[in-house]
Amino acid sequence: MLIYNFKKMNMKRNTLNYLILTVILTVGTLVSCSKDYIEEQPKGNFLEDNYYQNGDQAYSGLIAVYDKVGKESGGFENMVTFMNAASDDNYAGGGGPTDGAGIHGFAHYTIDPGTMPASYWNDYYQGVFRANVLLSKLPDIPMDENLKARFTAEARALRGYFYFQLVRMFGNIPLMTEPVPASEFYTIEQAPKADVYAQIEADLEAAKANLPSTIDVATEGGRFTKGVVQALLGKVYLYDGKNSQAATELAEVNGTPGGASQYGYKLLDNFADLWEVSNTFNSESILETTNTNKSNADWGFWGSGADLGNSINIMVGPRSYTRLNSSAPDFAPGWSFNVFTQSFYDVIKNDPRFDATVADLKAMQDAGDIDYVLGDQDTGYYLKKFMPYNSEATSGGGAKELNYRQHVYIIRLADTYLLEAEALGGTGSRAQALLDAVRSRVGLPSVPVSMDAIKKERRLELAGEGHRWFDLVRWGDAASVLANEGFVAGKNEVLPIPLAELEGTKLVQNPNY
Amino acid sequence: MLLSIYVQAQDIVVHGTVNDDSGLPVTGATVLLKNTSEGTYTDFDGKFELEAPSDGTLVISYVGFTTVEVPINGQNSITVGLKVDLQALEEVVVVGYGTQKKSVVTGAIASVKASELEDLPVTRIEQSLQGRTSGLTIVTNSGQPGSSSTIRVRGVTTLGNNDPLWVVDGVIVDNGGIGYLNQSDIASIEVLKDAASAAIYGSRAATGVILITTKKGQSGKLSVNYNGYTGFSGPARKLNLLNATEYATLMNERYANSADPNSFQLPYPNPQSYGEGTDWQDLIFNNSAQRQSHEISISGGNDKSTFYASFGYLDQDGIVTSAISHYTRKNFRLNSTHKINDYIRFGQTFGYSHEKNTGIDSNNYYGGPLASAINLDPITPAIETDPALINTGDYANPNIIYAPNGFPYGISSHVGQEMTNPLAYVQTKLGNYNWADNFVGNAYVEVEPIKGLKARSTFAGKMAFWGGRSFNPESFLTSSFVTSTNSLSKNTNKGFGWNIENTISYQKEIDGHDFTVLLGQGAYVDNITDGQSVTYNDLPVNNYKDADFGFDISQDNITANAYKNDIHKVISYFARLNYAYKDKYLLTAIIRRDGSTNFGTNNKFGYFPSFSVGWIPNEEAFWPENDVVNQLKIRGSYGVTGNDQIGAFGYLSTISGGRNYYVGNETQGSIVTGNSPDAPANPDLKWEETSQTNIGFDTRLFKNFTLTFDWYNKKTSDILRYVPLPGYLGSTGSPAVNIGDMKNTGVDLSLGFSKHYEDYGFSLNGNVSTVKNEVVYLGTDTDYISGDGIQASSVNSIIRTQVGHPINSFYGFMTNGIFQNQAEIDAYTNSSGGLIQPNAVPGDFKWKDINGDGTITSDDRDFLGSSIPKVTFGFTFNFNYKDFDLLVFAQGAAGNKIYQAIRRLDIGTANFQTSALGRWTGEGTSNTFPRLSSVDPNNNFTNPSDFYLEDGDYIRFKTIQVGYTLPKDIMTKFGIDKVRLYVTGENLFTFTKYSGFDPEIGGGVFGIDRGYYPQARTGMLGVNLQF
């Protein structure tokens, strides 16, 4: 409301009073605004300088390192579907030949530094950086010393794991064991591969001593134990050509073939039970990613640290899947990535693991039980181990496509059995026993152990779990097996270093890229 | 209609008439008895009646006229002739913290007055500036009602936010929020273009400053104004898409060109059977979208207080799926000024608006009705009535959407992914809306203890509330567009910002030396913003009308989020000296010091100086009187302005969460928050600076022509941006740095002509601006920054910012015709004799081997043009004959390119534009449009290339208006001052070669058309009333 009639002020008041008022108005406010006025401290997040003050903050720092273990199954650019696509067992698949330039490029060996998805490099280096920060802070954090020793061991083991992933994928990588000062941001060079392996082995050896043999998986499942580290170490030694050390470590993990090991590891009786979504942290599982349907993952932060859903599930689901007969499995529709190749189908079709490994949509469609839309290079043979089910679709927040909860094995006992058998050169009674144990679990008779037998067994046992491409490269078989896919020897044993890494840095691209 | 408010008994009654130079009555002139506050106003015939002492003196004044004193000398009847006050008529220009006569302004300031805007039916204030001033590029962000515009003052100044600083009555309002203003409430808009003008807003002025002054009441009679219009809109043009027969024919051909000849079977054996098919565009466009606006204001006052109050209502349907594209706004304004006594003045402005809108995805090929209408096949019917299909396949799904006639909406089995039947899509979005409430106001007190010395304190604030509500029903639009659990969401947000400014100024003239000194201080706070959202999943009802937060939903099905922003503060001290000698030699000097919370202790403060000079030679004695150059002012300026627009705390290393991991099993485990450092600290982060030189002149030629010319050179250095570190450093975020230099040079030209005769008059005002942008430096290690990519080719971005080129240039492959036969492919060889394109077949593009290495790779891309127009222009033509008036307003741009990316490339079966009918089908058929094929090893379609690039030049007749003012003498009898009826056509004609919906593509999309919501063509009928 406006007031039109102002009380008349005394017109005779002299101008001096107003001059004084003027001065007060301006000078007064000038003085009251000091430099402090524009000093602000962030609220709702911490500063690096004042964080890492206690055990809880150290644990939170450690979880940020674990975050990157989720790369195995998190986001469009997860490890499993990417590595599968490059193997002879699976195609890239998806909606079309350009649905994911990186995964299709890798599958057809047309990948170049420009199409290489940078996250495979960046994510693991983020893990390395977080581990390095935590390791540099831990000594000064006032907290329980036993806990500190365990955190230190976990951080080193995780760093070792990340470097192992990096060196396996990219070969020639920079090696940093502490946070890099700004002056050296652009002067880092790649380390000799031997130095990288030496560092990985040193980290894992150091971690082994300070990690518990067993943990309560109800509250700590997913964290590294001594068994996890030994399994990793055995695998690393194998890649590093130190077969006897590999066999030693793996033997401690594996124990008596078919029995329970010192850490309680034991093959599941029923192969199909491995893919029961609720069967987490089972006795065969050594290291698994811990996905959940509770992170309300949504497209806006898909694949980031806050997304804890399993993305493999939606990626491998059949496109526009509809059931025409209620007896057909209740798969949820997905994006048709990683369909099995015909040649793999031909190998596994009579194996007892077929039903748990392959969803034969071709047969179901031929029988008129289902309908679905063919994706890229569709064979009708879908990756059953990670098939999404409508019953698993979240009823909570976020996008249902992104909130599948299936955990994914990074290392399981059948894998370490076969790795040990391989480390033993594929000969001898223990190698035979290890191979037999894997086979007898699925009701297969013994076959004489040999590298060929081990290779065949790994292919069938671990199909679609992201191991095949690494195995082929490790065995030196990639160039011959993958020749039809476009694999070039001397080039495609490693991936190209993402283009952005070479701009303004001292990094050198991998040969022939 | 005599209105006298101070009537006292006097000796005699004086009857008088007030006329202007031409003898016409002056209505509303103030008639005061000298040395008293008693007086009256003239009526419509210019007549007044006043009791006054016979020896008194009358003081008659009226805005725009010289005040006249008339001794009564006992006369009962007095006729007064008022003369136009040339001094007062001269335009006054609002500059920062004050006003200045236009004749002595030395900076480059464009000014738009209310009179130029009054009759224009625009919904947002930015649109009224488009094409009306030089030096400004304004592009509408979308044709959706209520959409904002992208505004650039003299080019793209920096790599980050380029929005100008909006200052409304002293309140800083962000670019998106400026929509709260009502067009009729604007008194003037000033654009401070050069650094010398803008430097008074130092820190925040680098991207230009736009000052808006809202109307104040005039002392005098109460005045009521109404302006209303109503009309209908429709699309100005549709895309030429294939009909069903053409589609089937081309899809057959596409398939045949790549199918295995042994198992060959045409997908559409009889194309003719499909006829015309479905025209999806017809189904989404509304040719009679309604639009109406009503604005009413009342103003008045006396010599103590004035007020201006207004109310506005706007309601507009979008032309695309109007049911879910709609905008309404209601606003209210109250401005007042008060003279408390001779020394103290008080004033305030207050504006409120309530906006409600609903909209669709625009410029997004990934979804929404526009993208679907463009990409869907014309074979699928809008509504499926074939009994053989209903209840089978997709139609068997219980959640499909039904049309009012009981049949299901058609579901395409040819084109999938996000492309859905737009009619069904609309049904799933009904009832969703966003809303916003804005409160913007200021209050000031001004003290003038002695003449020339003024102290002023202003407090200004803006509070905004906004949010949205949406219901996502269980639905099945296509098998890949399924919602299996419904959800109801809402969000509410609050933003607050305020500023205090104190200035003291002193003006003194001694012997022709005119000084004004201004000292000031300000404190600014913004981004005090927070909000929350909540979603209820799995409601027991499945339509938006029944969906409600009242339902008891289990906690597992409720998700909620909250956020807050980091507060931003700036503190400033500034000083300005204006000096003029005999209004002939002019000088302005400014210094401002700003401190910002965005910088650390090393560099919190920045200094921003500027100076400008002017000379008016026609005031010199030696200047010969002539009929050619009547007036001339030559101006020059140089100044530095700053920019602190980078996120908070870039100078610190912060720790953030969200790097989480799930620990434990399903029942006892939990999500644990992981924290780690974001990006390395940059304690040396500092102000970005833009320096600008401006040279120009204003002149009046041959009496009727005015010409303003400015040349500028603007250089931005130490550009604030986030630079991604090499990935091996493991940083999750990118540190904030000062790396980058950029340059803009250009010319602003305005030309005016006006001539008035007894019965008619006309005027023509035009402006042309040119700008040339060049990136000068991006860091020692960085040659370029890759920008937006294109679907199906995420790796080969089409946008590149590179040193030596304009920012965000198009960068891609270059076609060099089409291989007509195998011989041409075989002849295209490299130095070693190998084929450059071994995968090509006749009908494929021949790519230019830019780097000459004998193969086609991503290195064979080059600069293809820029989305920044080289020239923008506008002109307004006014003509009036007696009571009729005509206005024609056109604007346009030239020299820019548009990347036409409206067809989805990863959906091979997506519909084509009819340009595909001219595809290559054999030798000699086409050299521009390649063959169709399901597989594309030559990347004819997926390579981002000049194939998709088109000229963006256009000229658009934005407004054509014819008005008729009813004869005044008749209206006066009804107590009405003025009645004007008008007919307006908006966007009636657009001349362009561009093949998309609309060549005007804004919104930070760098000229990439991904299915742009076109601007409407509208016809309106309106009325202005004044009484």
Side-chain angles (χ1 to χ4, degrees), chain B residues 205-523:
Chain B
T207 48
V209 179
I210 302 180
L211 302 176
I212 293 185
T213 310
T214 59
K215 282 180 181 165
K216 313 249 179 312
Q218 297 285 356
S219 62
K221 77 173 207 73
L222 210 61
S223 157
V224 178
N225 276 281
Y226 167 81
N227 182 18
Y229 60 81
T230 180
F232 293 96
S233 305
R237 78 159 131 174
K238 286 164 55 184
L239 297 183
N240 294 316
L241 297 169
L242 300 183
N243 67 26
T245 301
E246 293 163 339
Y247 173 85
T249 309
L250 263 60
M251 286 300 142
N252 281 343
E253 181 183 316
R254 181 177 168 277
Y255 182 73
N257 277 340
S258 49
D260 177 354
N262 298 320
S263 60
F264 180 71
Q265 202 181 359
L266 284 179
Y268 306 104
N270 184 7
Q272 299 299 331
S273 67
Y274 300 102
E276 284 286 310
T278 308
D279 184 338
W280 294 104
Q281 290 187 92
D282 271 356
L283 298 171
I284 61 163
F285 280 125
N286 183 350
N287 286 305
S288 56
Q290 66 83 32
R291 175 171 165 187
Q292 58 170 315
S293 166
H294 307 278
E295 295 176 345
I296 186 159
S297 71
I298 176 165
S299 68
N302 55 31
D303 60 335
K304 297 284 186 208
S305 290
T306 68
F307 77 99
Y308 173 89
S310 75
F311 176 77
Y313 174 75
L314 175 80
D315 185 294
Q316 190 177 355
D317 274 342
I319 55 168
V320 181
T321 55
S322 302
I324 57 169
S325 178
H326 186 245
Y327 177 72
T328 59
R329 183 180 68 209
K330 303 176 184 82
N331 17 14
F332 166 73
R333 170 164 295 279
L334 181 59
N335 294 350
S336 71
T337 62
H338 310 280
K339 211 168 148 183
I340 293 171
N341 59 30
D342 287 349
Y343 309 101
I344 303 182
R345 277 184 292 276
F346 170 81
Q348 60 74 230
T349 65
F350 173 78
Y352 164 75
S353 77
H354 174 75
E355 292 167 274
K356 189 172 169 183
N357 73 293
T358 164
I360 61 168
D361 278 334
S362 175
N363 211 25
N364 179 2
Y365 40 55
Y366 288 117
L370 261 174
S372 297
I374 294 167
N375 287 291
L376 275 179
D377 60 275
I379 290 175
T380 302
I383 295 169
E384 184 57 72
T385 52
D386 184 351
L389 293 174
I390 294 171
N391 298 322
T392 63
D394 284 345
Y395 295 107
N397 192 292
N399 287 330
I400 59 169
I401 311 291
Y402 289 89
N405 66 2
F407 288 99
Y409 284 115
I411 299 171
S412 175
S413 55
H414 312 283
V415 176
Q417 304 210 37
E418 296 89 347
M419 299 306 136
T420 60
N421 186 323
L423 299 176
Y425 177 89
V426 166
Q427 296 303 312
T428 65
K429 297 289 172 189
L430 287 175
N432 298 353
Y433 65 90
N434 292 309
W435 58 271
D437 285 309
N438 277 290
F439 302 82
V440 183
N442 79 347
Y444 67 86
V445 58
E446 191 173 83
V447 183
E448 188 172 3
I450 53 175
K451 190 170 166 30
L453 178 68
K454 282 184 191 168
R456 182 177 161 118
S457 240
T458 308
F459 177 81
K462 172 178 170 160
M463 180 164 264
F465 298 88
W466 70 97
R469 185 181 196 276
S470 64
F471 179 69
N472 193 15
E474 278 176 27
S475 60
F476 181 96
L477 291 174
T478 73
S479 55
S480 51
F481 214 95
V482 180
T483 304
S484 51
T485 308
N486 65 32
S487 60
L488 177 66
S489 305
K490 73 168 182 174
N491 66 82
T492 50
N493 309 270
K494 189 190 90 173
F496 179 51
W498 55 264
N499 51 277
I500 286 179
E501 287 170 337
N502 301 299
T503 55
I504 184 162
S505 65
Y506 184 65
Q507 188 263 332
K508 184 81 183 166
E509 191 182 343
I510 308 163
D511 297 337
H513 301 273
D514 189 348
F515 294 90
T516 308
V517 179
L518 173 89
L519 296 173
Q521 169 266 339

Side-chain angles (χ1 to χ4, degrees), chain B residues 29-80:
Chain B
T30 308
V31 182
L32 268 182
L33 191 56
K34 195 174 179 182
N35 295 327
T36 72
S37 57
E38 288 127 30
T40 182
Y41 303 104
T42 56
D43 67 9
F44 295 108
D45 298 321
K47 293 195 171 12
F48 68 90
E49 185 186 271
L50 187 71
E51 288 183 60
S54 55
D55 60 345
T57 300
L58 296 180
V59 181
I60 294 120
S61 59
Y62 189 70
V63 178
F65 291 85
T66 313
T67 300
V68 174
E69 295 191 6
V70 183
I72 295 170
N73 287 338
Q75 304 172 81
N76 288 96
S77 174
I78 293 176
T79 300
V80 185

Side-chain angles (χ1 to χ4, degrees), chain B residues 790-811:
Chain B
I790 284 296
Q791 42 155 0
S793 187
S794 57
V795 289
N796 292 338
S797 71
I798 183 66
I799 300 290
R800 175 172 288 199
T801 295
Q802 180 164 324
V803 172
H805 294 271
I807 184 172
N808 297 319
S809 294
F810 290 116
Y811 185 80

Side-chain angles (χ1 to χ4, degrees), chain B residues 108-111 129 133-134 136 153 189-193 209-211:
Chain B
I109 299 178
S111 181
L129 281 172
T133 62
S134 63
L136 236 63
V153 179
I189 305 175
E190 265 81 18
V191 184
L192 312 184
K193 297 191 285 194
V209 179
I210 302 180
L211 302 176

Side-chain angles (χ1 to χ4, degrees), chain A residues 43 46 290 320 395 405 501, chain B residues 479 557 564 655 662 666 727:
Chain A
K43 288 179 190 139
F46 297 96
T290 56
S320 309
S395 61
R405 59 174 180 144
E501 291 303 287
Chain B
S479 55
N557 281 331
K564 62 97 208 181
I655 298 265
Y662 191 91
E666 182 107 27

Side-chain angles (χ1 to χ4, degrees), chain A residues 18-37:
Chain A
Y18 291 106
L19 261 178
I20 292 167
L21 178 63
T22 307
V23 171
I24 291 170
L25 262 174
T26 46
V27 177
T29 40
L30 276 170
V31 172
S32 69
C33 289
S34 65
K35 201 175 167 181
D36 292 344
Y37 175 78

Side-chain angles (χ1 to χ4, degrees), chain B residues 464-732:
Chain B
F465 298 88
W466 70 97
R469 185 181 196 276
S470 64
F471 179 69
N472 193 15
E474 278 176 27
S475 60
F476 181 96
L477 291 174
T478 73
S479 55
S480 51
F481 214 95
V482 180
T483 304
S484 51
T485 308
N486 65 32
S487 60
L488 177 66
S489 305
K490 73 168 182 174
N491 66 82
T492 50
N493 309 270
K494 189 190 90 173
F496 179 51
W498 55 264
N499 51 277
I500 286 179
E501 287 170 337
N502 301 299
T503 55
I504 184 162
S505 65
Y506 184 65
Q507 188 263 332
K508 184 81 183 166
E509 191 182 343
I510 308 163
D511 297 337
H513 301 273
D514 189 348
F515 294 90
T516 308
V517 179
L518 173 89
L519 296 173
Q521 169 266 339
Y524 309 83
V525 182
D526 59 72
N527 213 21
I528 310 175
T529 301
D530 59 22
Q532 52 278 321
S533 62
V534 62
T535 301
Y536 277 26
N537 293 296
D538 208 5
L539 267 72
V541 294
N542 200 38
N543 69 77
Y544 76 96
K545 282 179 181 141
D546 296 327
D548 196 274
F549 287 102
F551 287 109
D552 184 25
I553 300 297
S554 78
Q555 285 298 316
D556 284 353
N557 281 331
I558 297 175
T559 51
N561 285 295
Y563 75 95
K564 62 97 208 181
N565 286 353
D566 290 313
I567 193 168
H568 173 231
K569 292 185 190 172
V570 169
I571 187 168
S572 309
Y573 307 94
F574 48 89
R576 177 171 63 201
L577 168 72
N578 292 98
Y579 167 74
Y581 178 64
K582 292 189 169 165
D583 277 0
K584 194 154 63 175
Y585 306 107
L586 314 165
L587 171 91
T588 302
I590 296 171
I591 178 104
R592 176 153 166 154
R593 177 177 188 257
D594 287 283
S596 166
T597 48
N598 284 349
F599 304 117
T601 44
N602 295 5
N603 293 303
K604 240 181 206 336
F605 286 88
Y607 292 88
F608 305 101
S610 82
F611 68 92
S612 56
V613 291
W615 176 42
I616 303 178
N618 57 292
E619 296 283 331
E620 299 283 3
F622 63 75
W623 186 267
E625 276 290 324
N626 67 77
D627 289 336
V628 180
V629 181
N630 311 116
Q631 282 173 22
L632 178 65
K633 177 170 65 175
I634 299 166
R635 297 175 279 107
S637 76
Y638 175 81
V640 180
T641 49
N643 180 10
D644 72 337
Q645 290 195 57
I646 189 96
F649 308 119
Y651 59 96
L652 296 170
S653 173
T654 50
I655 298 265
S656 288
R659 287 128 205 193
N660 305 344
Y661 203 62
Y662 191 91
V663 180
N665 68 9
E666 182 107 27
T667 49
Q668 293 181 58
S670 61
I671 295 171
V672 184
T673 297
N675 277 301
S676 71
D678 297 312
N682 179 6
D684 295 326
L685 199 66
K686 64 181 179 188
W687 290 87
E688 172 182 321
E689 291 187 349
T690 300
S691 59
Q692 191 178 171
T693 308
N694 190 93
I695 294 169
F697 63 84
D698 306 292
T699 183
R700 177 182 289 277
L701 305 165
F702 308 110
K703 281 191 175 166
N704 297 313
F705 289 91
T706 56
L707 176 69
T708 296
F709 171 89
D710 281 284
W711 170 87
Y712 64 88
N713 185 15
K714 182 157 86 162
K715 187 170 183 214
T716 306
S717 52
D718 292 329
I719 289 176
L720 284 166
R721 62 191 182 107
Y722 294 100
V723 174
L725 292 175
Y728 59 72
L729 293 170
S731 171
T732 306

